[in-house]
Amino acid sequence: RGSYRNLVCLVGVLIISRTLQHAHGTSYPQCLPDAVPESERKSLVGEQGLYPIGIWVNGWPAGYVTAAVVRILLAEKIGFNTVERGPGPSTVDGFYALTGCATPTNVQDRGCSASMTTQNHISVEGWTEAYASTWAAIERDYPQNAPQNLGNMGYLGKTSMYLPSNIQQAAYNEEGLILEFYRGFNVSWTSAAKYFDPPSS
């Protein structure tokens, strides 16, 4: 019964998190029965006074879920005030948000400067492997604010190309072409392009 209640609460929190932009001071529904009361939660202290732990939300389903779980644990089990910010459609947006850039989702101008103070402290569910050069550039250009990678969350993921089985089967039936293996894409021997959308689409 308790697990079901927690699941229902988490689903509710995810729906709220996904549909609302939370501002500082916004209350979230309590999920855990032994939660630290909101009135007893602590804030971070800095030159700007008291402020909550900022959680950057990555804008895909697992990004919303993991950010909500982190927020619930920080607020209800550890007792900190928290706020969710974002979402960002790319892992790289999270890099710039953690660095303190004012407009982390603007790819033309991330809003970074030498005098940045970050309001975002945690970002989870980022796919960092493909962005090593961006990470290195942030460390080089903003060493005082560069985020730290504390490791994985206990699971690993892979990115890959998806090909519907009916397209794979059509290529095999029509030309003996095996699309599941990239070495079959040799344009000197076959024309695999017709089984894919053009880059302009």
Side-chain angles (χ1 to χ4, degrees):
R1 185 165 163 80
S3 296
Y4 177 75
R5 178 184 178 274
N6 292 346
L7 178 62
V8 169
C9 181
L10 182 58
V11 169
V13 166
L14 296 176
I15 291 169
I16 290 168
S17 296
R18 186 119 193 225
T19 56
L20 299 176
Q21 284 290 343
H22 292 294
H24 178 58
T26 300
S27 293
Y28 296 93
Q30 179 179 315
C31 281
L32 304 176
D34 59 344
V36 174
E38 203 167 335
S39 62
E40 295 177 21
R41 294 180 190 163
K42 303 173 288 275
S43 292
L44 300 176
V45 181
E47 292 177 7
Q48 68 270 38
L50 298 175
Y51 57 95
I53 294 175
I55 301 166
W56 182 259
V57 180
N58 288 308
W60 47 88
Y64 287 102
V65 170
T66 53
V69 169
V70 167
R71 183 185 50 72
I72 291 165
L73 293 174
L74 283 171
E76 298 190 18
K77 291 308 265 181
I78 300 175
F80 276 98
N81 289 310
T82 61
V83 64
E84 289 182 356
R85 294 194 176 90
S90 165
T91 292
V92 171
D93 298 333
F95 294 175
Y96 287 104
L98 293 177
T99 302
C101 301
T103 53
T105 59
N106 182 344
V107 296
Q108 303 302 320
D109 180 9
R110 302 282 185 175
C112 305
S113 70
S115 60
M116 297 179 293
T117 300
T118 188
Q119 296 297 307
N120 300 296
H121 309 99
I122 298 171
S123 177
V124 291
E125 232 297 306
W127 293 73
T128 58
E129 187 177 272
Y131 305 106
S133 61
T134 303
W135 186 271
I138 289 172
E139 288 180 320
R140 181 194 65 233
D141 297 341
Y142 310 105
Q144 72 284 2
N145 282 20
Q148 295 180 7
N149 186 340
L150 302 179
N152 72 55
M153 296 179 50
Y155 63 90
L156 299 174
K158 295 280 184 194
T159 56
S160 181
M161 177 173 56
Y162 172 74
L163 296 169
S165 60
N166 62 324
I167 292 175
Q168 293 177 42
Q169 194 60 49
Y172 185 75
N173 290 344
E174 293 169 20
E175 300 182 47
L177 185 57
I178 301 174
L179 293 179
E180 298 97 302
F181 189 49
Y182 73 92
R183 292 187 74 182
F185 299 174
N186 186 330
V187 295
S188 300
W189 299 336
T190 61
S191 178
K194 68 182 176 183
Y195 298 104
F196 295 89
D197 292 333
S200 61
S201 66

